[in-house]
């Protein structure tokens, strides 16, 4: 999310987790549109500035190097609510969609000023698992019969899983902390995936309502619409749900663009990234490019005009992750058919290399089979980011910030940390878990 709003890679903005995001003085593309005469409006989920998200989420990110393994989420489940007339399951998102449509209708009354509207939906995130208490995470895939009926159950695939013993250690950590290391029946897996697709259908309907408002007000023909997401959903691929992974289900996100002067029905084959949206929006608005952006405008790839500069795009995209549910800073470089994933947290684990042309399921790490490819991609990655140095900075940030948070709680620390999302596992041996944190912070104890 911070990459999309800042146009810069995470290691440049130091957006290390969902709590440490963008500083409030960072200039976003929306700020520049407003400064150049656009009427701007942001509705719904806005979580790209620092200070948001739950205490559990930030503490889990800070303590990822502690030598304990605790489940941080509820076991993923599917839950049916309502009946065939229940259309609005995610009521908050529908409310915000209605606000956006109403704002567009008001804009149509004074069409001379250009506008920029951002709508942030929570769907299709899983819902909070209420039965696990007030600090619970979101592990409930919830929908109604109305939306579930739109899903073709007979073509839902059951993902292939590696044996637990063959999993990469970072992937296993993610699987365990997401409470997915137990036994799941095929029906459970298919239900979770079916409910996720139904949740996607509900989100699609919200987009449809906004497009309908544009059409009804006569704004659609001169408005660019961009639909994207800051992450995907594994939906039980690789024995995981949720995100925080470089596997395709998590890192490969939708990006759809429509509008006047843009080609229709085009599927761009080049690799693109969320950091490309910042320069693209500026390009569409005719605003001069900002220095030090990490991305490149997509307009030359999308426009019907042949007069646009066909500047050379890099043949790679970068993704990095430093937050919770992964016990290592993770760096992914996509180039052509290859996906290279590496770590720099002092872990004695090998990097991963996947040939996505031959191995769409990402089950075969071929780093040892293709050492020349691995070396080439690692060299390219190091030319983009000194990932060892960045990981060290994240380590220092995690320790200092956790220590400051711990000190701020005083005598309440023991009670607070025992009752976060991991409370079920933590309270089985709270003393040992506190000692593990002390050892991480201060060395031998």
């Amino acid at each position: 999310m911070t990459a999309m709003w800042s146009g810069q890679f995470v290691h440049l903005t130091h957006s290390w987790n969902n709590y440490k995001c963008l500083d409030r003085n960072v200039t976003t593309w929306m700020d520049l549109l407003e400064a150049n005469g656009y009427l701007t409006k942001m509705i719904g989920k806005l979580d790209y500035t620092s200070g948001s998200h739950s205490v559990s989420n930030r503490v889990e990110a800070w303590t990822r190097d502690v030598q304990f393994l605790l489940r941080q989420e509820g076991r993923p489940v599917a839950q049916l609510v309502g009946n065939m007339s229940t259309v609005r399951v995610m009521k908050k998102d529908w409310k915000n969609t209605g606000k956006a449509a109403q704002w567009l209708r008001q804009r149509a009354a004074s069409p001379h000023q250009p506008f920029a509207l951002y709508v942030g939906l929570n769907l299709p995130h899983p819902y909070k698992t209420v039965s696990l208490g007030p600090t619970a995470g979101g592990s409930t895939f919830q929908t109604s019969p109305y939306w579930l009926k739109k899903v073709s159950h007979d073509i839902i695939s059951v993902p292939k899983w590696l044996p637990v013993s063959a999993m990469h250690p970072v992937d296993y950590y993610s699987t365990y902390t997401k409470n997915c290391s137990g036994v799941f029946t095929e029906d459970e897996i298919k239900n979770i995936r079916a409910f996720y697709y139904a949740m996607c259908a509900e989100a699609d309907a919200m987009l449809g309502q906004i497009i309908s408002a544009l059409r009804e007000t006569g704004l659609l023909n001169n408005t660019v619409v961009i639909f994207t997401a800051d992450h995907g959903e594994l939906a039980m691929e690789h024995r995981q749900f949720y995100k925080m992974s470089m596997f395709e289900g998590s890192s490969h996100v939708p990006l759809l663009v429509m509008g006047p002067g843009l080609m229709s029905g085009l599927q761009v084959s080049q690799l693109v990234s969320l950091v490309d949206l910042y320069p693209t929006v500026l390009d569409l608005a005719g605003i001069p490019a900002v220095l030090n952006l990490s991305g490149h405008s997509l307009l030359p790839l999308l426009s019907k005009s042949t007069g646009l500069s066909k500047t050379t795009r890099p043949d790679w995209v970068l993704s990095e992750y430093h937050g919770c549910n992964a016990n290592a800073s993770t760096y992914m470089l996509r180039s052509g058919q290859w996906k290279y994933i590496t770590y720099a947290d002092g872990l004695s684990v090998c990097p991963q290399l996947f040939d996505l042309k031959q191995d769409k399921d990402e089950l075969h790490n071929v780093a040892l089979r293709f050492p020349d490819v691995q070396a080439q991609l690692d060299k390219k990655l190091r030319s983009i980011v000194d990932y060892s140095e960045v990981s060290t900075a994240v380590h220092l940030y995690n320790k200092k910030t956790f220590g400051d948070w711990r000190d701020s709680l005083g005598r309440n620390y023991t009670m607070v940390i025992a009752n976060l999302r991991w409370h079920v596992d933590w309270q089985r041996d709270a003393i040992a878990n506190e000692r593990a944190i002390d050892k991480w912070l201060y060395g031998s104890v």
Side-chain angles (χ1 to χ4, degrees), residues 178-193:
K178 293 175 183 177
N179 207 347
C180 291
S181 59
V183 176
F184 288 83
T185 67
E186 185 172 303
D187 284 344
E188 282 182 294
I189 295 169
K190 292 189 76 170
N191 271 341
I192 288 170
R193 292 172 70 77

Side-chain angles (χ1 to χ4, degrees), residues 73-332:
E73 302 282 357
R75 176 186 170 93
V77 295
Q79 180 175 311
L80 197 64
V81 298
N83 52 46
M84 280 301 297
S85 64
T86 305
V87 176
R88 300 194 169 197
V89 181
M90 173 47 82
K91 294 180 180 178
K92 186 174 182 180
D93 279 353
W94 279 109
K95 183 177 180 180
N96 286 327
T97 301
K99 287 180 180 179
Q102 181 61 29
W103 189 84
L104 289 170
R105 294 186 180 98
Q106 293 170 352
R107 284 298 311 125
S110 53
H112 301 296
Q113 184 181 12
F115 71 87
L117 168 66
Y118 174 83
V119 183
L121 301 178
N122 198 63
L123 274 181
H125 276 87
Y127 289 76
K128 184 174 181 179
T129 305
V130 178
S131 62
L132 292 178
T135 61
S139 60
T140 299
F141 290 80
Q142 180 176 294
T143 193
S144 72
Y146 177 88
W147 295 110
L148 193 59
K149 191 175 181 180
K150 298 182 181 297
V151 178
S152 300
H153 287 255
D154 55 329
I155 61 173
I156 294 175
S157 63
V158 176
K160 298 174 183 177
W161 289 353
L162 289 173
V164 170
S165 60
M167 292 179 72
H168 190 280
V170 176
D171 296 332
Y172 178 74
Y173 178 90
S174 298
T175 289
Y176 193 93
T177 58
K178 293 175 183 177
N179 207 347
C180 291
S181 59
V183 176
F184 288 83
T185 67
E186 185 172 303
D187 284 344
E188 282 182 294
I189 295 169
K190 292 189 76 170
N191 271 341
I192 288 170
R193 292 172 70 77
F195 277 54
Y196 170 63
Y197 297 143
M199 291 159 66
C200 289
E202 186 178 359
D204 288 347
M206 296 175 193
L207 173 61
Q209 186 172 100
I210 292 172
I211 291 176
S212 293
L214 286 168
R215 182 178 291 113
E216 292 163 7
T217 55
L219 294 171
L220 186 60
N221 289 336
N222 62 351
T223 300
V224 175
V225 179
I226 301 174
F227 176 81
T228 191
D230 59 330
H231 61 81
E233 166 61 57
L234 287 161
M236 302 311 291
E237 294 176 10
H238 300 279
R239 196 185 276 267
Q240 296 183 41
F241 78 106
Y242 214 19
K243 46 182 179 174
M244 298 98 167
S245 166
M246 293 302 172
F247 289 125
E248 289 290 278
S250 173
S251 63
H252 191 166
V253 301
L255 176 57
L256 306 174
V257 186
M258 61 178 284
L262 304 181
M263 286 183 279
S264 177
L266 173 69
Q267 184 170 344
V268 173
S269 59
Q270 289 92 331
L271 293 168
V272 301
S273 167
L274 288 176
V275 293
D276 294 328
L277 289 182
Y278 197 123
T280 301
V281 170
L282 296 189
D283 212 356
L284 288 165
I287 297 172
V290 177
L291 296 177
N292 301 321
L293 292 181
S294 301
H296 301 266
S297 174
L298 300 175
L299 198 53
L301 302 178
L302 306 175
S303 177
K304 294 177 181 177
S305 172
T306 58
L308 290 174
S309 171
K310 302 292 183 180
T311 54
T312 303
R313 294 182 58 82
D315 62 354
W316 52 265
V317 291
L318 167 72
S319 184
E320 54 185 298
Y321 182 70
H322 309 278
C324 63
N325 292 113
N327 60 339
S329 283
T330 308
Y331 306 84
M332 182 268 282

Side-chain angles (χ1 to χ4, degrees), residues 35-75:
N36 281 271
Y38 277 69
L39 181 66
T40 62
K41 182 70 173 178
M42 295 188 288
I43 297 173
K45 189 174 182 181
L46 300 169
D47 55 357
Y48 58 88
T49 54
S50 293
S52 61
H53 284 76
S54 69
V55 174
S56 289
N57 188 285
R58 63 189 76 161
V59 173
E60 290 155 11
W62 295 334
T63 58
R64 66 180 194 186
D65 297 320
V66 178
Q67 294 302 302
F68 52 42
L69 197 56
L70 307 171
R71 292 171 295 175
Q72 299 167 4
E73 302 282 357
R75 176 186 170 93

